[in-house]
Amino acid sequence: MTRLEEVVRDLERHAATAGWDAPPRLYALVEAPELNRTEPDLARQLGVPDEPDGIAALEQPDLPVDRPIEDVLHGIEWPEQVAGCVLILERILLPEGAEDEVPDDDPVTWAAQHPGREDVRLVVGVLRDGSRHSAMRLRGHDSDDEVLTGPELVPGLADTLASTLI
């Protein structure tokens, strides 16, 4: 398991303990040795061991919820000390063919009330070296052994996240 896979899985389990209906959360990924060197008190407070390949996930301030997440991400640029980032957010999945029924006036409320909807939590991580990994938990299958993982589960969102690192 790569270090990005490990941090994505850890953050997914952490989000699962907090429950559903949570706002989006963004984490900066920082190399553990650099954090221990530049911010030793913070590293100690967070319990970040000074391991050569270690990476620390630092939760960022709340993201605005009144704008599409893609628009919010387009306004973010990380400094070069940030090795990567992870985004956790929840979405509604609709059954195949439902997009043909979406009303123009209030699609979000319509989707939230759709009888075939499925809530999903996405955890998407990217590193500056191009590495990607994602985890997906369905509310209807809410157990650790049913979490889907892989590098290309949410490629569009991973692309948008990766653009914040340039």
Side-chain angles (χ1 to χ4, degrees), residues 31-41 43-44 48-51:
E31 300 290 347
E34 178 162 336
L35 184 64
N36 275 281
R37 189 180 81 255
T38 60
E39 299 284 343
D41 292 337
R44 266 192 304 281
V48 177
D50 193 0
E51 297 172 349

Side-chain angles (χ1 to χ4, degrees), residues 17-164:
T17 63
W20 289 90
D21 304 318
R25 288 176 291 211
L26 184 64
Y27 293 82
L29 301 179
V30 179
E31 300 290 347
E34 178 162 336
L35 184 64
N36 275 281
R37 189 180 81 255
T38 60
E39 299 284 343
D41 292 337
L42 178 60
R44 266 192 304 281
Q45 179 185 355
L46 297 174
V48 177
D50 193 0
E51 297 172 349
D53 285 338
I55 194 162
L58 306 176
E59 188 168 5
Q60 301 302 294
D62 292 344
L63 296 171
V65 294
D66 60 340
R67 294 180 20 222
I69 194 68
E70 292 79 7
D71 291 350
V72 173
L73 292 175
H74 284 300
I76 294 174
E77 293 181 18
W78 297 104
E80 65 182 49
Q81 298 88 343
V82 173
C85 55
V86 174
L87 176 68
I88 302 173
L89 75 159
E90 295 176 13
R91 288 289 185 248
I92 296 171
L93 295 180
L94 295 172
E96 191 172 332
E99 64 273 0
D100 297 334
E101 306 167 17
V102 178
D104 292 334
D105 61 337
D106 192 3
V108 175
T109 301
W110 178 85
Q113 296 172 351
H114 193 282
R117 75 178 265 185
E118 178 72 63
D119 294 335
V120 61
R121 180 182 304 114
L122 304 169
V123 181
V124 182
V126 297
L127 293 177
R128 284 192 188 275
D129 68 7
S131 302
R132 298 165 176 228
H133 198 74
S134 302
M136 180 187 304
R137 182 185 293 250
L138 300 172
R139 193 175 213 161
H141 300 273
D142 194 359
S143 68
D144 289 348
D145 62 342
E146 294 196 48
V147 173
L148 305 170
T149 63
E152 294 296 327
L153 287 178
V154 196
L157 190 52
D159 289 345
T160 303
L161 263 182
S163 73
T164 67

Side-chain angles (χ1 to χ4, degrees), residues 4-15:
L4 182 58
E5 289 176 51
E6 189 174 329
V7 76
V8 164
R9 287 174 184 240
D10 286 348
L11 288 172
E12 194 288 321
R13 284 189 293 270
H14 176 71

